[in-house]
Amino acid sequence: MNMKMNANVWSLNEGELRTPQMNHIIMMALFIGVGVVVGTFGSLAVPLGFVSAFWPGQAIQSVGCIWFGMWGGIASIVFPLISNAIAGSASIAVSLAYAPGNFLQGIMAGWAFRFFKCDPRLTSGKDWAVFTVFGVILCNAIGAAWGVTVLRMFGMISPSSTITVFFGWSIGNSVPSFILGAILLKFVSPLIVKSKSFCKKYWA
């Protein structure tokens, strides 16, 4: 039953044609706005040097890409630029250097759910496992590795502090990302997957 449900979430129905629409742009803008609020709060709440030890903004990136594909990916890049500027946690140059890492942090979950045909409503153990591994652990490890590399390039952290910052960054993103992401997927996905805004592919 779950396998059939999972496959149908991403499969086009007979005769169904999906193309990018204005509602996708609206949802992208909405997620940018939500991401700015959540990301700024996280940056200010538990600062750890130049990073945050509690950044729930990553959940917005993963969930946005699961629901809205590349539109969520664009939001994943844009909202951290704004939230970092508001929080004063990074310069424009550093924020722009973070951008590829922010994109990867989000799109990995979007790719994994489509590739493994997982249900965003988290209806099975497989769905939970893929979300936990790809939408929380791996994406945050990659994001932290990218971010630490950027900080080292800009001379903002010393070699001796690299490991500490990496684990603080990775864990600081993972814990709130799992909690907020699971809540959004479990309780909001039933509404999203029935809407025209839901992207079965990457753009529509």
Side-chain angles (χ1 to χ4, degrees), residues 168-204:
W169 189 320
S170 182
I171 297 172
N173 280 10
S174 295
V175 174
S177 293
F178 178 82
I179 296 171
L180 178 58
I183 291 172
L184 290 173
L185 290 175
K186 191 65 180 176
F187 297 106
V188 184
S189 287
L191 300 176
I192 298 295
V193 298
K194 295 177 182 178
S195 73
K196 290 294 185 181
S197 297
F198 178 63
C199 292
K200 293 186 176 181
K201 304 305 180 183
Y202 284 96
W203 290 106

Side-chain angles (χ1 to χ4, degrees), residues 110-134:
W111 167 82
F113 267 66
R114 288 165 176 81
F115 182 81
F116 293 108
K117 291 180 168 47
C118 295
D119 195 313
R121 294 166 289 192
L122 303 180
T123 59
S124 70
K126 173 187 171 184
D127 303 333
W128 280 97
V130 170
F131 168 63
T132 302
V133 173
F134 291 93

Side-chain angles (χ1 to χ4, degrees), residues 1-74:
M1 180 68 177
N2 279 341
M3 291 179 63
K4 183 177 180 181
M5 180 185 297
N6 291 348
N8 288 341
V9 168
W10 304 107
S11 299
L12 294 176
N13 299 320
E14 185 176 354
E16 181 180 11
L17 178 64
R18 285 179 174 248
T19 58
Q21 303 288 338
M22 179 58 68
N23 55 301
H24 294 117
I25 297 176
I26 293 172
M27 294 310 297
M28 178 185 69
L30 175 63
F31 258 65
I32 290 174
V34 172
V36 167
V37 174
V38 175
T40 302
F41 166 76
S43 296
L44 295 173
V46 190
L48 180 66
F50 294 103
V51 300
S52 173
F54 184 88
W55 200 68
Q58 197 282 319
I60 304 301
Q61 294 174 323
S62 284
V63 172
C65 290
I66 291 171
W67 287 344
F68 307 120
M70 290 299 296
W71 302 104
I74 295 172

Side-chain angles (χ1 to χ4, degrees), residues 48-110:
L48 180 66
F50 294 103
V51 300
S52 173
F54 184 88
W55 200 68
Q58 197 282 319
I60 304 301
Q61 294 174 323
S62 284
V63 172
C65 290
I66 291 171
W67 287 344
F68 307 120
M70 290 299 296
W71 302 104
I74 295 172
S76 296
I77 294 173
V78 174
F79 84 74
L81 296 174
I82 302 172
S83 65
N84 286 344
I86 294 174
S89 57
S91 66
I92 294 297
V94 172
S95 289
L96 288 172
Y98 284 157
N102 280 317
F103 176 74
L104 290 173
Q105 279 191 154
I107 204 64
M108 177 173 286

